[in-house]
Amino acid sequence: MSSSATSPLAQATGATARRSRNAVIALCWALVLLDGIDTFIYGSVLPKMLGGHSLGLTPDTAGTIGSYANFGMLLGTILSGMASNWIGRRVTVFTSVVIFTLATLGTGWSHTAGQFGTFRFVCGFGLGALLPIAISYGMEFTSKGRRALATGVIMTAHQTGGALAPLIALWLVDDHGWRTAFIASAIPALILLPIAFKLLPESPTNLLTRGRRAEAQALAADFGTELPEPKANTTDKLDALKNLFRGSQWATTLCFWLTSFAGLLLVYGVGQWLPKIMVDLGYDTGDSLLFSTFLNVGGICGMLIAGRTADRIGPRTVVIAWFVLTAVFVYLMGVEMSVGILYAVVFFAGLLLFSGQTMVYAAVGTHHNDEDRPTAIGWVSGMGRFGAIFGPWIGGALIEAGNADIGFTMYACAALFGAVMMSLAALTIKTRTTART
């Protein structure tokens, strides 16, 4: 067997396959942590940048730059799932991390709004490319009954990054300027990448679909994973994409995409503009940044709760319930109340909001087989990026027009729309299943 197929991690642990699988998930968690920090650091430094008129930014241009990053994510998520089937998931993971790390450094060194926006676009491309592959790794290197939990665990890293980003901003920006926050966010990757490159294995399913059966079987044995039989048609490089639309599957795919659109509109709209909206509503700047930390800490807790619940009752059911409750708590964030109670409201909004969107990925991942999963997750995330583009843009437009107070109402409506779309997705799946029987 080729040395590229067997991870030193698996060789070192021998019979402890379960621990080896958990270590793969831990590596993915660490890489997604970098993704989360680099994603949310922009929103964390934005109040200071706008207050100091850095690079000539206004709320409107800042929202546009946020949309640039999300457009980059759109391209990254769409392309990475298909690219991973062609060149390998391992190579795709490391390429994406290198791209967003270098681009984050470039963002910190930018001297014009144009340079800043360009680097955020490139950063978004790398950030978006990583997530579908990391989630696919987690689902493949765990048992079928725990795949939603594995997805939630990996995505806790994204929210941990979101919780750390405001703290990095509080630590550095006042004394050293906003540039240092971006540079500091990129440094951990320089330490983690060599470790992950040495230990992260290739996907056995990916090796199988690329005709490397012996390597795939040996690697699956090392890690104690099930190796599916390859489909009859493995020569068509677009086969996984075509499977999203075969027969009546197109209707389910469309509903999944629209659910993701609503979810990512919420994630990136609320995530980017929460500190600024709270400042405009009269809250202290320190409180406004800590609201972001509470939002993301709630998200971390929500990932674990939603993952366990989804493995018991199904991720589609969890998405519907979570989005309805998200609408309630996001709306309440705009209601005047004491700061202490508002912290609790923000925490529960984060608990529901982020994990609701993550369970969209779990719903898609459990609906598709191992071979099609990276492409399916990549495209549902990619199409959802239109929501991620629209969310920051509409938030910036509302603030620019002096209508920050209706921002949370708009985001609450998006959550209800997501619940309706996932309900329709579940209906199309049930209808198709009934037709077959």
Side-chain angles (χ1 to χ4, degrees), residues 270-291:
V270 175
Q272 176 170 310
W273 287 113
L274 177 61
K276 177 61 177 172
I277 291 176
M278 288 306 191
V279 167
D280 286 1
L281 292 179
Y283 295 96
D284 179 78
T285 301
D287 281 328
S288 297
L289 281 173
L290 288 176
F291 284 139

Side-chain angles (χ1 to χ4, degrees), residues 353-399:
L353 188 159
F354 295 111
S355 59
Q357 173 60 22
T358 297
M359 289 304 105
V360 175
Y361 303 142
V364 173
T366 55
H367 181 64
H368 291 277
N369 60 37
D370 290 341
E371 296 172 65
D372 296 339
R373 185 176 298 122
T375 298
I377 294 176
W379 275 82
V380 79
S381 179
M383 292 297 101
R385 293 294 161 183
F386 285 105
I389 293 168
F390 183 71
W393 174 81
I394 191 63
L398 288 172
I399 292 172

